[in-house]
Structures are given as C-alpha cells and as structure tokens.
C-alpha cells in the first residue's frame, strides 16, 4: 500500500478533497462534516504535523505505525509528527480533528 507523505496540513485536506487557498498552521474540523459517508477508510500517510482526534460519539480503529487502537465514544488520540497512520470510521456522530504545525507552536 502506498504511503502518502503530508508535509503541510493543507496536504491532508487536499487528500480528503477539501481545498484551502493558502497554507494553514491550525485547524479544528468536524469529522462528520469531512467524512459524511460511513464506513470510511483513510489512506495510509505520514504527517509532518501534530493531530488530535476527539471522539465524543463514534467508533472505529486508529492505526499508528504497527499498532492498532480500536476506539469508541469519549476517546482522544494525539499523534506527533513523523508516524505512519491511518484510520477507519465505523460510526462518527460527534467527533473532531485538530491539526497544528510546529510553526503554530512557536
């Protein structure tokens, strides 16, 4: 399977079919808004930014490097830059992805 490399946050959203007119260093997006069709499987990617996945109401599986983490409602995952990751959404009623760059932290 091909691993996509995302150097910028905008690379992720281009992969997901969302467009931004300029580079961004911080986002908070509703996962049901960006993934309206469930079930959903993301491509495998390596990201050069930080991400938080906050699941208030939903379920799925988060893959990080060689690890598999099933999740349900009231779950938070945080990922540093550089890891290979992907996810499956089985249910996504109320969840968010927060992305931020190292530049944003500075």
């Amino acid at each position: 399977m091909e691993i996509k490399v995302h150097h910028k946050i905008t690379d992720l959203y281009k992969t997901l079919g969302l467009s931004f007119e300029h580079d961004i260093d911080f986002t908070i997006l509703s996962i049901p808004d960006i993934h309206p069709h469930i079930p959903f499987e993301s491509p495998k990617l390596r990201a050069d930014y930080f991400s938080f996945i906050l699941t208030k109401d939903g379920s799925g599986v988060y893959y990080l490097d060689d690890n598999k983490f099933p999740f349900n409602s009231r779950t938070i995952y945080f990922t540093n830059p550089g890891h290979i990751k992907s996810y499956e959404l089985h249910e996504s009623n109320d969840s968010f992805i927060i992305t931020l760059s190292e530049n944003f932290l500075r």
Side-chain angles (χ1 to χ4, degrees), residues 28-85:
I28 300 175
L29 296 175
S30 166
I31 291 175
D33 289 347
I34 61 175
H35 298 305
H37 305 291
I38 301 295
F40 176 82
E41 270 187 57
S42 77
K44 217 174 211 189
L45 61 95
R46 184 181 64 76
D48 291 337
Y49 49 81
F50 300 90
S51 60
F52 291 87
I53 306 295
L54 302 138
T55 305
K56 290 174 68 177
D57 184 12
S59 65
V61 180
Y62 192 64
Y63 298 94
L64 184 62
D65 297 325
D66 294 325
N67 300 297
K68 178 180 177 179
F69 300 100
F71 65 87
N72 290 303
S73 297
R74 300 186 345 220
T75 304
I76 298 173
Y77 279 108
F78 170 75
T79 309
N80 286 320
H83 293 281
I84 305 298
K85 59 186 176 179

Side-chain angles (χ1 to χ4, degrees), residues 5-25:
V5 177
H6 292 164
H7 296 290
K8 299 181 268 181
I9 294 170
T10 52
D11 295 338
L12 168 66
Y13 296 116
K14 286 177 188 172
T15 296
L16 297 175
L18 303 171
S19 63
F20 290 90
E21 293 183 23
H22 52 82
D23 286 340
I24 49 179
D25 289 318

